[in-house]
Amino acid sequence: MKLFFWNLKRNCLANLIHLALQQNDVDLAAFAEVDQVDFQRLIELLDGQYRPVQAIDDSAKTKLLVKSSICSQHASTVINNLTCTLMLDGVPVNTSIVHLPDKRNDPHGDRRERIIRKLVSELNTTKTTYPGSFNMLIGDFNCNPFDPEMVKLDSLNSTFFKEVAKRLKFRDSYGSSYPVMYNLTLEFLSESNSNQGSYYWGSGDCTYYWHSLDQIVVDWQLADCVTDCRYLRQIGDTKLIVNSQPCSRYSDHLPLLVTMEMGNCHGK
């Protein structure tokens, strides 16, 4: 099972997306900043192998294409973010395609945190009404994995440590129980395999240069399902990196490609 996400920076990249999906045999393709992409043309390029998942009100600013064999339901829009339940190799996964406010508009993460709470609440409600399902968020969080809105107990409550997530499962506080989620991004980041991050920003007196804004976070039951997670540096002959940073001709973000083996799901 291959999952793909790309913030397109409002560029018309249908041909490049088509090549990426075909080259990597992608099952689920999600996007942000899609204003200039003709998705009908993209679907035609893909010979009908994919179909769009749309909420009834169609107000979501994130977009999702899935292979025609993948069933979807419960599609809705939560503060401009598309959420739905997908059947991934027989496993129901409540999914949010995320694009959160950037740090220029939300420097302290307050808005990101409020949106995350709303998204998690929506996913948990679906999980309650759909027993046996699990939660997943994928997209551009516009913050790094270790930022407060990603790890705070009453926000995403994610940890970078798979064994900790699997052991804890939930954390209780003042009568409320919060599911622990696993953020696998840091497990796969490494300079040795050229997987440093998805977004480059070197300004300011305090910077990480490479930032991992594009992430996937899953319920602990899905922690063992993820076998690979990387940022693509090239699609076909097209290089997405120039001078050690994303080529702005295409996007200021690198695409995220995640490989999952759903047979490894706990509780399946």
Side-chain angles (χ1 to χ4, degrees):
M1 183 67 60
K2 296 286 186 68
L3 286 62
F4 177 92
F5 173 82
W6 200 4
N7 181 324
L8 303 174
K9 198 188 175 185
R10 299 180 173 85
N11 288 323
C12 183
L13 302 174
N15 291 329
L16 203 54
I17 294 168
H18 168 243
L19 180 58
L21 269 53
Q22 295 294 292
Q23 179 178 293
N24 295 288
D25 191 22
V26 169
D27 297 280
L28 179 162
F31 306 93
E33 296 194 20
V34 298
D35 308 46
Q36 299 302 314
V37 177
D38 183 342
F39 275 88
Q40 186 55 46
R41 176 173 175 268
L42 177 57
I43 290 170
E44 290 170 1
L45 283 174
L46 293 164
D47 293 326
Q49 298 176 61
Y50 296 81
R51 62 178 181 83
V53 175
Q54 293 177 302
I56 294 175
D57 63 4
D58 198 26
S59 63
K61 292 185 178 179
T62 54
K63 299 291 186 183
L64 175 63
L65 299 180
V66 296
K67 279 190 174 177
S68 299
S69 59
I70 295 178
C71 295
S72 63
Q73 53 188 320
H74 309 307
S76 63
T77 303
V78 181
I79 316 180
N80 298 324
N81 298 279
L82 178 67
T83 72
C84 62
T85 300
L86 303 170
M87 290 297 295
L88 304 182
D89 282 347
V91 178
V93 181
N94 310 312
T95 304
S96 281
I97 311 303
V98 174
H99 186 207
L100 301 183
D102 68 28
K103 295 204 174 192
R104 289 170 296 182
N105 301 320
D106 186 27
H108 303 296
D110 298 328
R111 290 176 58 202
R112 287 191 296 277
E113 191 172 319
R114 288 196 298 271
I115 294 171
I116 286 172
R117 287 196 190 110
K118 183 66 175 175
L119 290 170
V120 170
S121 175
E122 180 77 11
L123 293 176
N124 285 337
T125 297
T126 303
K127 185 192 288 189
T128 301
T129 58
Y130 198 162
S133 63
F134 307 107
N135 293 347
M136 173 175 75
L137 300 93
I138 182 171
D140 177 5
F141 289 82
N142 262 314
C143 57
N144 281 297
F146 36 80
D147 282 336
E149 54 267 44
M150 301 296 289
V151 300
K152 284 177 69 172
L153 178 67
D154 61 348
S155 185
L156 198 54
N157 193 27
S158 66
T159 176
F160 324 125
F161 306 106
K162 183 189 303 184
E163 295 305 317
V164 171
K166 289 161 59 179
R167 175 175 58 82
L168 291 178
K169 301 179 179 61
F170 294 89
R171 289 184 62 196
D172 296 324
S173 178
Y174 298 106
S176 297
S177 186
Y178 302 90
V180 175
M181 302 198 77
Y182 172 52
N183 188 335
L184 52 103
T185 307
L186 295 187
E187 178 180 351
F188 292 96
L189 281 183
S190 171
E191 187 175 35
S192 63
N193 63 11
S194 299
N195 198 33
Q196 296 111 312
S198 65
Y199 180 85
Y200 186 92
W201 184 256
S203 297
D205 292 340
C206 180
T207 181
Y208 305 114
Y209 298 98
W210 275 108
H211 302 259
S212 297
L213 306 187
D214 305 274
Q215 306 167 56
I216 178 172
V217 183
V218 300
D219 273 350
W220 68 268
Q221 293 95 331
L222 300 179
D224 286 329
C225 294
V226 181
T227 59
D228 191 58
C229 178
R230 64 184 56 254
Y231 299 117
L232 298 182
R233 300 169 65 88
Q234 186 165 328
I235 297 174
D237 295 328
T238 301
K239 294 182 179 179
L240 304 179
I241 295 265
V242 174
N243 294 326
S244 302
Q245 54 190 297
C247 177
S248 59
R249 177 182 175 185
Y250 305 109
S251 175
D252 52 355
H253 290 250
L254 297 178
L256 172 67
L257 182 67
V258 180
T259 303
M260 300 182 74
E261 295 286 348
M262 304 309 293
N264 297 336
C265 174
H266 290 270
K268 181 180 175 184

